[in-house]
Amino acid sequence: MILREGSTDMRAAVAALEPRLPLPLRALARLACNYWWSWAPGAEEFLASFDPVRWERAGGNVVHLLEELEPWRLDELAADAGVVTRVDALAAEFDAEMARPHSEGSSDHPVAFMCAEFGVHRSLPFYAGGLGVLAGDFLKESSDQGLPVVGVGLFYAEGSFHQRLDITGLQHEYWLATDSDCVPAALVTGEDGLPLMVSVPVRGSDVVVQIWRVDVGRVPLYLLDSNRPENAPVDRWITDRLYVGDRYMRLAQYALLGIGGIRALAAMGIEPSLIHLNDGHGALATLELLGSEIAHGVPVDRARDNVRALAVFTTHTPVLAGNESFSREELQRELPKLDAVARLSWDELLALGRIHPGDPRERFGLTPLALRLSGAANGVSRLHGQVSREMWRELWPSLPVSAIPIEHITNGVHLPSWMDAGMQALLDKYVPGWRVAGPDSPVWEAVDSIPDQELWRVRCTLRARLAEVVRARSVPERLSRGESLAYAESAARAWRDDLLTIGFARRIATYKRLYLITREPERSVRLLTSDRPVQMVIAGRAHPQDEEAKRTVQALFAVNDIPGVSSRVVFLENHDLGLSRELVRGCDLWINLPRATQEASGTSGMKSAANGGLQLSVRDGWWDEACDGSNGWGITSNPSLSIEEQDRLDTDAFFSLLENEIVPLFYVRDSDGIPRGWVRRMKASLRTIIPQYSARRMVQDYVRRRAAVRPY
Ligand SMILES: *Cc1c(COP(=O)(O)O)cnc(C)c1O
């Protein structure tokens, strides 16, 4: 069978870029059209050096940069032997990487990894937070490991919003058009040279979608796009924004992702060996799969088993309300042909999405559907596995909780993307073999042999680099909010390279409890203004409809006029992959204060730990299993208390640890100026966290689990 999976279209995109480039730099076109460069060591700094100002304006998008560079500058670069040698070396490395055979399985039957958001790079704002970043890391790691994987998601005309705060700290959102001419994406075409399209029935129409291909190393990511002239304006808008506020528009997105995703794979001639539903947004895929089995004459019961043999599901949402559901009326109105898609009666279909199939009043939930029609399901940390088994136990009324078939595979982060090059070099020098060593390998013991001086030097460099970012960003952000000049400059003036630097950056959702930080203002002020002060950087975006979360940011701003606060606490706007990377690298101490059992895993702390940051976090999600007393600090929260009691006790524990242990440990120095106790904790953290909470370990766990479910 001839595959129409977009590789020729991608080559055409490369060929279209090449004529812009002088001959010695032609290979840059190939590099620009694959996000592999974003985690190749040193590549980003090299590419940015072509024109740092334009690089920033292009949002780190290499295609955009190359299109913007003026001919004289390109000629200048082409005449620079050092640049040409570097381009050739990168291209050779890239070509070798692409040519490497797959490590297992067959590229004819890849795993299709389906998700509503993918955080691949800041120039492609198709992610809201941790879920999308994890999905991006999953693809990158699969590429590194040579696993045959394809990603399936949506191509958003605008994607996720950008954030501005006003002078009261209130968040305002704006959206920017995704310039499809500038992102490294190619429209997949069919044999006739026209865009390949599939259609999905939504409301009264057959919505057509085209398919973009984005290359993430060796992994193609296919993104469905309803912005086609054939569609009515409202249908063209379905893939406009990530997680739009309107529930019915979101349901249409889920139909395009799930049903359209499976149809797109078929249209491209890709026969996946496995469909990995990453969170429930793509769960309608199971109905499309079921319908095509039944259409081939397979009896319903067997068809269900066949779908289960093909689908696996990862749940990320430990709060019932976060698992979306729809009433019969809503479903029949918005997706009136869903019964025809699944080739089931409405009663049969609705039963598949209920916890109690026979209860006609129960709504149709995407998570129960995914759980029921997947051969394996997992949560994303040990604790989240337990919480999920409790939460969904009634789906298996005859089983005891411990036997509910929801396991856990704890999340991990893609180290080459998140770990600073200096830190990687340090491990290369003192911990040989660390890049491929499994969590049980003795290799990791060598972390203790890293000289304290060298480790501390890297830490200080990273902290100083973040200080530059804070100075550069805080002033214009504050000025554009309309703050006074003195206020706008106060943090840039007071920020120091050598103070204990604390970070809190993630989606602003109420359960993440950013508000605990302002609960005891006197204690905060004492920490900020003592003779051994701390400085704190905060970032995060709230969902546009989440008024409560937005108010927690405003509460921060309300204490800003207390002397000392505005100069030592900085909120940086528009938390994205770029800012996130600066923060997790630069902070000494990383804070996470979720309401216990509501953080499925959390991943930003893993990124921080990989750069020598220490954790001060509620023992929830990943930290519940990672915290061993030597590698950071844990706050044991009690979810059975009232929310007010939990908040009060956890705030007290948070401040007490800072006051009594953390700040003193950071500032106690020996005659060489090194905080030996702090460095000892850093080493314990690097040694225990990097191996276990890397995407390498996570992806291998998924491969092992898959082998147990269904051989390749
Ligand atoms: C890693 C990351 C997150 C996830 O943060 P947690 O709250 O720790 O899960 C969110 N947003 C961005 C931009 C990230 O890079």
Side-chain angles (χ1 to χ4, degrees):
M1 177 191 278
I2 301 164
L3 293 183
R4 296 179 298 271
E5 34 64 273
S7 45
T8 40
D9 303 301
M10 200 49 100
R11 279 196 292 277
V14 173
L17 193 55
E18 278 175 343
R20 268 200 62 74
L21 304 170
L23 212 51
L25 300 180
R26 285 274 154 100
L28 281 175
R30 204 151 80 239
L31 290 168
C33 291
N34 188 319
Y35 276 113
W36 173 82
W37 64 262
S38 71
W39 74 92
E44 175 159 11
E45 292 73 12
F46 172 61
L47 294 164
S49 73
F50 290 2
D51 186 335
V53 173
R54 282 210 165 80
W55 173 262
E56 266 323 300
R57 225 189 294 145
N61 171 352
V62 187
V63 174
H64 197 173
L65 176 77
L66 295 180
E67 285 178 351
E68 289 256 304
L69 281 182
E70 301 188 30
W72 66 263
R73 178 60 183 149
L74 286 167
D75 289 337
E76 198 174 61
L77 290 166
D80 183 331
V83 168
V84 173
T85 310
R86 193 70 204 280
V87 168
D88 287 346
L90 266 178
E93 202 186 330
F94 173 67
D95 294 341
E97 178 65 11
M98 294 306 118
R100 204 154 51 90
H102 283 293
S103 60
E104 55 183 287
S106 131
S107 51
D108 291 345
H109 298 288
V111 170
F113 186 87
M114 190 177 273
C115 193
E117 47 174 307
F118 283 94
V120 172
H121 188 257
R122 65 186 166 121
S123 59
L124 208 60
F126 296 174
Y127 60 93
L131 176 69
V133 177
L134 182 89
D137 278 10
F138 192 100
L139 300 190
K140 293 174 188 175
E141 185 63 38
S142 299
S143 170
D144 288 349
Q145 294 192 26
L147 297 169
V149 170
V150 303
V152 179
L154 298 177
F155 189 98
Y156 298 98
E158 297 187 299
S160 192
F161 68 91
H162 299 256
Q163 175 195 52
R164 268 281 137 75
L165 300 186
D166 68 20
I167 197 161
T168 71
L170 180 64
Q171 170 181 297
H172 298 260
E173 302 90 22
Y174 62 99
W175 281 261
L176 298 175
T178 308
D179 187 345
S180 53
D181 289 338
C182 276
V183 295
L187 257 187
V188 177
T189 60
E191 276 160 54
D192 53 5
L194 297 173
L196 193 64
M197 290 194 280
V198 296
S199 71
V200 179
V202 177
R203 290 180 287 270
S205 34
D206 278 319
V207 176
V208 298
V209 291
Q210 58 189 8
I211 308 159
W212 295 90
R213 174 175 165 141
V214 172
D215 280 345
V216 184
R218 304 150 58 88
V219 170
L221 168 59
Y222 295 107
L223 300 170
L224 277 52
D225 175 8
S226 72
N227 189 8
R228 289 286 315 174
E230 294 88 337
N231 291 330
V234 68
D235 295 331
R236 293 181 71 157
W237 214 80
I238 295 173
T239 54
D240 197 83
R241 294 178 180 179
L242 178 61
Y243 305 139
V244 290
D246 185 277
R247 290 178 56 240
Y248 304 130
M249 195 61 96
R250 281 206 304 277
L251 180 58
Q253 292 184 332
Y254 304 154
L256 295 197
L257 175 65
I259 301 167
I262 298 297
R263 292 182 179 181
L265 290 171
M268 291 186 289
I270 298 172
E271 296 172 355
S273 60
L274 198 85
I275 314 280
H276 187 157
L277 303 170
N278 195 44
D279 217 8
H281 306 119
L284 297 175
T286 57
L287 296 182
E288 168 70 10
L289 293 168
L290 196 58
S292 59
E293 291 281 330
I294 296 170
H296 283 95
V298 180
V300 176
D301 280 351
R302 269 255 315 284
R304 280 169 60 150
D305 290 342
N306 291 350
V307 173
R308 282 203 198 97
L310 199 57
V312 297
F313 172 52
T314 300
T315 174
H316 292 260
T317 318
V319 180
L320 264 179
N323 293 270
E324 286 186 86
S325 64
F326 298 88
S327 71
R328 182 186 192 111
E329 293 68 34
E330 287 173 330
L331 214 56
Q332 289 184 330
R333 188 181 66 226
E334 302 301 319
L335 302 176
K337 294 193 185 144
L338 196 57
D339 57 338
V341 168
R343 298 200 176 239
L344 295 173
S345 71
W346 275 103
D347 284 339
E348 289 170 313
L349 185 164
L350 289 161
L352 289 173
R354 293 191 188 118
I355 299 172
H356 312 94
D359 179 356
R361 285 158 319 188
E362 200 185 304
R363 297 157 72 83
F364 176 92
L366 294 171
T367 303
L369 174 69
L371 285 169
R372 193 166 270 122
L373 288 180
S374 295
N378 68 285
V380 289
S381 68
R382 185 177 64 193
L383 185 60
H384 179 232
Q386 280 168 25
V387 169
S388 302
R389 286 189 289 278
E390 280 288 347
M391 222 168 107
W392 303 109
R393 59 189 293 182
E394 288 180 36
L395 266 141
W396 291 272
S398 61
L399 296 180
V401 177
S402 60
I404 300 294
I406 304 176
E407 300 169 47
H408 77 273
I409 293 179
T410 305
N411 284 342
V413 296
H414 184 241
L415 295 173
S417 294
W418 292 106
M419 209 170 166
D420 166 69
M423 189 60 85
Q424 293 189 41
L426 201 59
L427 291 195
D428 285 339
K429 186 166 164 196
Y430 292 103
V431 193
W434 72 277
R435 288 178 188 275
V436 292
D440 300 325
S441 163
V443 158
W444 299 102
E445 285 160 26
V447 167
D448 290 327
S449 72
I450 302 174
D452 289 0
Q453 219 122 4
E454 290 191 43
L455 184 54
W456 186 242
R457 200 176 316 124
V458 170
R459 186 91 283 292
C460 292
T461 308
L462 293 178
R463 185 189 319 107
R465 217 164 61 199
L466 173 61
E468 285 304 315
V469 174
V470 169
R471 291 186 194 107
R473 289 181 72 147
S474 65
V475 176
E477 286 186 7
R478 287 173 169 199
L479 286 174
S480 62
R481 290 201 281 269
E483 303 282 9
S484 72
L485 195 55
Y487 180 96
E489 284 192 304
S490 60
R493 284 181 194 281
W495 206 267
R496 294 212 338 233
D497 288 357
D498 59 347
L499 296 187
L500 172 55
T501 303
I502 305 181
F504 183 109
R506 52 181 50 80
R507 271 184 317 111
I508 306 285
T510 303
Y511 82 87
K512 305 255 193 190
R513 297 197 298 180
L514 175 62
Y515 61 87
L516 296 193
I517 288 172
T518 49
R519 237 182 102 99
E520 297 199 36
E522 331 74 54
R523 288 174 95 176
S524 305
V525 170
R526 226 178 305 135
L527 282 168
L528 295 167
T529 57
S530 84
D531 52 354
R532 292 177 311 182
V534 306
Q535 54 194 8
M536 182 161 192
V537 52
I538 301 169
R541 297 179 294 156
H543 187 278
Q545 260 85 27
D546 192 345
E547 301 298 335
E548 192 182 11
K550 288 185 185 181
R551 278 197 295 277
T552 69
V553 177
Q554 285 191 290
L556 278 177
F557 277 60
V559 297
N560 252 347
D561 45 3
I562 302 177
V565 172
S566 71
S567 54
R568 292 255 157 79
V569 182
V570 166
F571 188 100
L572 295 182
E573 291 173 356
N574 206 32
H575 184 231
D576 67 358
L577 279 173
L579 178 58
S580 169
R581 200 167 57 163
E582 301 291 351
L583 296 175
V584 297
R585 288 179 178 184
C587 291
D588 299 295
L589 186 71
W590 196 254
I591 308 287
N592 195 13
L593 301 168
R595 198 166 283 158
T597 76
Q598 298 199 12
E599 183 77 301
S601 167
T603 49
S604 59
M606 303 171 186
K607 303 167 193 169
S608 147
N611 289 289
L614 293 179
Q615 309 301 304
L616 168 55
S617 176
V618 170
R619 286 171 175 269
D620 196 19
W622 79 284
W623 190 235
D624 173 63
E625 66 200 76
C627 179
D628 68 5
S630 77
N631 58 0
W633 293 272
I635 296 168
T636 303
S637 191
N638 181 351
S640 62
L641 299 176
S642 73
I643 283 177
E644 173 54 27
E645 270 299 278
Q646 289 178 51
D647 285 357
R648 190 179 64 77
L649 291 172
D650 296 350
T651 306
D652 184 56
F654 169 73
F655 281 107
S656 298
L657 280 169
L658 275 168
E659 292 157 351
N660 303 329
E661 289 192 40
I662 297 172
V663 173
L665 193 68
F666 184 87
Y667 286 109
V668 173
R669 305 295 163 92
D670 70 0
S671 55
D672 297 324
I674 294 175
R676 300 282 171 185
W678 190 275
V679 171
R680 200 173 320 121
R681 274 193 188 247
M682 277 171 63
K683 287 184 180 175
S685 165
L686 294 169
R687 176 164 42 72
T688 55
I689 294 173
I690 293 179
Q692 193 64 36
Y693 300 96
S694 69
R696 162 165 283 275
R697 190 274 310 146
M698 168 181 73
V699 166
Q700 284 174 356
D701 278 356
Y702 277 105
V703 170
R704 251 194 303 279
R705 202 264 318 255
R706 190 156 70 223
V709 176
R710 179 171 189 264
Y712 252 74

